[in-house]
Amino acid sequence: MTAEPLIRAEGLGLSLPDRGARAGRLGFGAPPLLDILQDIDLTVGAGESVGLVGESGSGKTSLGRTLMRLYRPTAGRLTFEDRDITGLGEGALRPLRADMQFIFQDPQSSLNPRARIGEILSQPLHAFGRAKGRRDAWAQASALLERVGLPPSFAGRYPHELSGGQRQRVGIARAIALKPRLVVADEVVSGLDVSSQAQILALLNELKRDLGLALVFISHDLSVVRVLCDRVVVLRHGRIVEEGTCEGVFAAPGDPYTQELLAAIPLPEVQPGWIFDDARGAADQVDGASAGGSGGAR
Ligand SMILES: Nc1ncnc2c1ncn2[C@@H]1O[C@H](COP(=O)(O)OP(=O)(O)OP(=O)(O)O)[C@@H](O)[C@H]1O
Ligand SMILES: [Mg+2]
């Protein structure tokens, strides 16, 4: 990959207190530490998309969170644009927070149910001084909604008044509000039906291209990673067992575990162009239907 390294992990490790053990120890002494991630060497280039795959509990979410410094690594080194961020405190990290955004699996629980969509999207703009007052924030929120294929009038709605796919678009709009360099998307299509999945993938693909985002795309679904990502990283028990271009790994998986993962999933021979063209057509239809009538999704 020729892209400039945006984020780089070298020998990264993460150990966390064993939650199970804590309960069993009746609160005496420090709980033992569990090795969650070990020896992770990973570079994500500017504008590059990397899929993180592996079975449940392999450490995908933990790695995504550590790369964004939502966890402090307990070993190794983490750099963002050549700046060592391994041990930075929250104050020093704060300006960087705008550059790294997380999209959650379940927008239902990550969007404040009592805030209107316009307020949800305005909040980071205010927090990072990116809006000149309320009106400007609201106008930017409307533009963000359009950017993710939702009508600007949705700014006045509450999260529960949207469908799952529409809520995920809001989650994406919130993530790109501050024009980040890196987005970590954690199982963002898992809870959606197949046609919404295709639409969200098409949108992510478009944003990645237009905004030059680096994308760390976490998914247990290898066929999804294949259409969206340049590279794939396979995790097992908190370690990287295989890494390479999607093309290379899917054509000839080197590690037995990767072969197993591939065999476990019925992998349709889907061409990226096919899924994205198809999804775009479907997106037009669905958005047209829900956006047109004022009562569409209520
Ligand atoms: N805060 C925590 N404290 C202690 N252990 C944790 C914590 N978070 C995760 N773990 C453990 O770390 C391991 C990796 O968890 P993680 O959530 O990163 O896996 P995952 O690959 O994202 O799994 P899934 O596909 O189910 O989302 C698991 O064994 C989990 O129980
Ligand atoms: Mg996870």
Side-chain angles (χ1 to χ4, degrees), residues 52-119:
L52 278 190
V53 302
E55 65 193 2
S56 182
S58 57
K60 304 180 296 292
T61 298
S62 303
L63 179 53
R65 296 181 69 91
T66 309
L67 290 176
M68 295 193 54
R69 269 306 321 273
L70 295 170
Y71 289 139
R72 186 193 292 255
T74 45
R77 191 160 174 263
L78 188 63
T79 49
F80 186 77
E81 290 185 314
D82 286 334
R83 179 169 175 206
D84 191 330
I85 62 167
T86 320
L88 288 190
E90 202 42 53
L93 279 172
R94 187 170 155 76
L96 287 174
R97 291 277 176 230
D99 279 331
M100 311 182 193
Q101 295 290 321
F102 204 88
I103 312 175
F104 298 88
Q105 168 170 2
D106 179 11
Q108 176 83 41
S109 59
S110 69
L111 302 177
N112 178 356
R114 280 185 288 276
R116 285 192 280 190
I117 304 300
E119 297 162 45

Side-chain angles (χ1 to χ4, degrees), residues 215-284:
L215 183 65
V216 173
F217 185 82
I218 297 173
S219 179
H220 63 276
D221 187 345
L222 289 169
S223 51
V224 160
V225 167
R226 186 190 209 174
V227 297
L228 192 65
C229 298
D230 305 316
R231 276 198 298 137
V232 60
V233 167
V234 183
L235 279 180
R236 184 182 200 198
H237 301 326
R239 293 177 184 270
I240 294 179
V241 293
E242 180 151 10
E243 187 194 349
T245 62
C246 271
E247 241 169 68
V249 170
F250 283 95
D255 189 90
Y257 176 66
T258 314
Q259 292 167 6
E260 225 174 277
L261 280 180
L262 281 170
I265 290 165
L267 203 63
E269 285 300 320
V270 173
Q271 292 302 314
W274 180 83
I275 189 172
F276 290 139
D277 291 346
D278 188 58
R280 207 158 290 139
D284 290 346

Side-chain angles (χ1 to χ4, degrees), residues 126-176:
H126 288 307
F128 283 87
R130 302 279 179 92
K132 305 181 209 75
R134 278 184 57 111
R135 258 169 185 262
D136 180 37
W138 203 267
Q140 289 191 50
S142 301
L144 283 165
L145 287 171
E146 283 195 287
R147 186 66 199 78
V148 299
L150 292 174
S153 62
F154 273 33
R157 292 194 182 188
Y158 290 91
H160 74 267
E161 297 175 311
L162 273 56
S163 72
Q166 289 167 340
R167 270 197 296 268
Q168 196 49 285
R169 284 171 192 264
V170 172
I172 294 170
R174 180 175 57 179
I176 62 170

